[in-house]
Amino acid sequence: FSYPESRSPVIENISINIKAKTSVAFVGATGASKSTIIDILLGLLEPENGTISIDGVLLNNKNIKSWQKLIGYVPQTIFITDDTIAKNIALGIKNSLIDYKRIELVAKLANLHNFIKNDLPLGYKTKVGEAGVKLSGGQRQRLGIARALYRNPKVLIFDEATSALDNLTEEQIMKNIHSLKNSITVILIAHRLSTIKECDQIFHLSKG
């Protein structure tokens, strides 16, 4: 894969196999093309050569939306609407269809539940303000993790999503996420070794 402005491929001769219901990490220096690989896996970028297949089915324009519906994606920067905690977790879901038991479950997995219950005046019905101004960076990040888990994805992708968290919070969240790994595939980009030490497989990238 090459970007239009790049003189040479940013990804070249990569062949990997990720087993379902395992956790894997991509590590490497800045510019090693970790995020590009994630964007290709998400179907946001299309490789110039080579193929991607899911359970033996070739990924293409006809089935890519079905693949994307199976993915929970947590980016570094979380989009927050000026609405309640609950509606931000169940983003895009009609009010009448919001599952509050599910919201509470995923908030616990994201290490957010105690903060919501103990520190917010209206709990899950507390409005977070424009762009989540009432939340810290770490709290916004945890909300994004809860949101990704809410739709019960088959694949969970963290694109350096725990970088805004303190070590203790990150450790607890990763412990909770790894407890799901017999039912979900987890793909991580992370810099801290503590984040990836429990992964089943680690791919080290260097210059694509």
Side-chain angles (χ1 to χ4, degrees), residues 6 11 23 61 74 76 129 131 142-143 149 176 178 182 188 203:
S6 54
I11 289 177
S23 56
N61 290 333
V74 191
Q76 278 182 283
R142 283 180 276 165
L143 192 150
L149 289 166
N176 293 342
H178 285 302
N182 289 328
L188 295 165
F203 298 108

Side-chain angles (χ1 to χ4, degrees), residues 53-73:
S53 64
I54 319 295
D55 295 339
V57 178
L58 210 61
L59 197 63
N60 57 40
N61 290 333
K62 291 180 181 176
N63 60 24
I64 199 160
K65 288 280 190 285
S66 301
W67 164 238
Q68 289 169 338
K69 283 178 183 175
L70 301 177
I71 298 172
Y73 175 64

